């Protein structure tokens, strides 16, 4: 349950994919400070998109806390894998299966989301996406998280990305530094998210951006409908509109952006 809770926190507050989350290893958090003195936390992992390569995401402090818990939780299994590497090297077997296992253990011995496989003699390896889905459903069952039908909510890994997008859009424009760094964009204006030359399609998470754009649009429609359909006067409306206009950056054309 503790591992599942950490999985939920990381997925909920980072918006990364299941495969990216399972790629996380010990010491995957780094810190830096922006030019204006803002402390930032970076989550380091791997993206799997037309190949794979290292990637970092800007995350809030709660993700760092979950990583620290997982570092302690996974320590015994990481130690066991380190011991297995030594045993396999000492054995010096030329058996293809032993060589394959040695390569796999070396690549996974620092990972956080490890689990013993009962179907394969309890050998330790990074848990699969299917296992993550099973644990999430069991988490809902254990804590009575129910759907409208009264049954445990069928929670799955991809639902956290939609929730992340909803929460991000609900916070209006969100944090612009986060928007720029998390998705790999070179500009801060929302228009650049859809400019053909404003996005590195490999580096940025265009799927999640689409979810955020959809949720943001629905949120704007909801707010504007409430204003338009209400007969009540808008309190301090002139001041609100003036403040809003000063915050919104505009440009005559794309070059000016």
């Amino acid at each position: 349950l503790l591992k599942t809770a950490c999985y939920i926190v990381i997925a909920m507050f980072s918006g990364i994919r299941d495969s990216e989350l399972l790629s996380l290893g010990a010491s995957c958090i780094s810190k830096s400070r922006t030019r204006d003195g803002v402390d930032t936390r970076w989550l380091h992992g791997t993206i799997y998109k037309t190949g794979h390569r290292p990637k970092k995401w800007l995350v809030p402090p709660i993700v760092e806390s979950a990583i620290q818990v997982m570092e302690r939780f996974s320590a015994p299994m990481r130690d066991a894998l380190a011991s297995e590497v030594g045993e396999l090297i000492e054995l010096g077997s030329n058996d293809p299966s032993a060589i394959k296992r040695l390569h796999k253990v070396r690549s996974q011995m620092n990972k956080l989301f490890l689990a013993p496989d009962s179907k394969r003699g309890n050998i330790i390896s990074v848990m699969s996406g299917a296992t993550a889905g099973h644990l999430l459903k069991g988490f809902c069952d254990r804590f009575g998280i129910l759907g409208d039908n009264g049954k445990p909510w069928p929670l799955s890994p991809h639902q956290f990305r939609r929730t992340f997008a909803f929460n991000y859009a609900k916070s209006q424009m969100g944090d612009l530094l986060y928007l720029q760094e998390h998705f790999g964009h070179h500009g801060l204006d929302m228009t650049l998210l859809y400019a053909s030359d404003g996005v590195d399609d490999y580096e940025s998470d265009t799927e999640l951006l689409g979810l955020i754009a959809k949720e943001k649009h629905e949120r704007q429609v909801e707010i504007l409908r409430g204003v338009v359909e209400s007969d009540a006067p808008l309190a301090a409306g002139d001041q609100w509109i003036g403040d809003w206009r000063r915050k919104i950056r505009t440009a005559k054309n794309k070059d000016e952006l």
Side-chain angles (χ1 to χ4, degrees):
L1 291 177
L2 181 61
K3 177 167 63 178
T4 308
C6 290
Y7 179 103
I8 291 172
V9 169
I10 297 169
M12 179 79 74
F13 291 96
S14 70
I16 63 177
R17 296 180 178 88
D18 174 67
S19 60
E20 295 160 354
L21 194 156
L22 296 179
S23 77
L24 301 177
S27 303
C28 63
I29 292 286
S30 66
K31 298 180 182 181
S32 63
R33 177 170 292 183
T34 64
R35 292 179 180 177
D36 54 354
V38 177
D39 292 324
T40 58
R41 291 167 176 79
W42 298 92
L43 179 67
H44 295 257
T46 303
I47 53 174
Y48 302 92
K49 187 174 168 184
T50 62
H52 62 87
R53 69 176 179 180
K55 169 69 176 174
K56 64 178 182 178
W57 300 269
L58 194 63
V59 294
I62 192 172
V63 172
E64 180 184 16
S65 298
I67 292 296
Q68 291 171 344
V69 172
M70 280 306 303
E71 286 175 337
R72 295 194 295 272
F73 181 84
S74 64
M77 286 182 284
R78 287 187 284 116
D79 289 343
L81 288 181
S83 297
E84 185 178 353
V85 167
E87 293 170 1
L88 289 170
I89 292 176
E90 185 177 351
L91 185 61
S93 174
N94 292 322
D95 180 64
S97 62
I99 296 174
K100 182 178 180 180
R101 175 60 183 170
L102 176 60
H103 177 74
K104 184 174 183 178
V105 172
R106 278 176 166 167
S107 67
Q108 296 187 353
M109 59 188 293
N110 194 47
K111 301 301 183 184
L112 295 179
F113 287 89
L114 299 167
D117 188 344
S118 59
K119 296 181 180 179
R120 302 177 59 192
N122 286 323
I123 63 171
I124 298 171
S125 61
V126 174
M127 69 183 194
S128 65
T131 298
H134 177 74
L135 292 176
L136 290 171
K137 291 178 176 63
F139 190 89
C140 291
D141 187 28
R142 172 66 176 78
F143 291 103
I145 303 173
L146 309 177
D148 293 337
N149 60 3
K151 296 181 179 180
W153 181 261
L155 189 60
S156 60
H158 76 274
Q159 292 179 18
F160 295 106
R161 287 167 64 77
R162 175 66 184 273
T163 302
F164 176 89
F166 174 82
N167 290 334
Y168 190 91
K170 192 174 181 180
S171 64
Q172 297 182 3
M173 291 294 289
D175 184 284
L176 294 180
L177 171 66
Y178 182 87
L179 182 68
Q180 179 187 29
E181 299 293 353
H182 190 86
F183 297 108
H185 297 292
H186 306 295
L188 295 179
D189 195 281
M190 287 294 288
T191 307
L192 290 181
L193 302 184
Y194 305 102
S196 60
D197 58 350
V199 173
D200 178 344
D201 187 57
Y202 189 99
E203 205 46 63
S204 63
D205 192 338
T206 52
E207 177 191 19
L208 189 53
L209 276 172
L211 289 173
I212 290 176
K214 179 176 181 295
E215 294 291 348
K216 184 174 183 295
H217 173 72
E218 292 177 356
R219 176 64 175 166
Q220 290 174 331
V221 170
E222 177 187 348
I223 293 172
L224 291 175
R225 181 181 292 120
V227 173
V228 171
E229 294 180 353
S230 174
D231 293 328
L234 184 62
D238 56 344
Q239 179 181 345
W240 182 87
I241 292 175
D243 291 342
W244 180 78
R245 288 179 63 85
R246 283 190 291 272
K247 292 178 181 178
I248 299 300
R249 302 192 315 167
T250 59
K252 295 179 181 179
N253 51 54
K254 181 177 176 182
D255 292 335
E256 187 174 323
L257 284 174

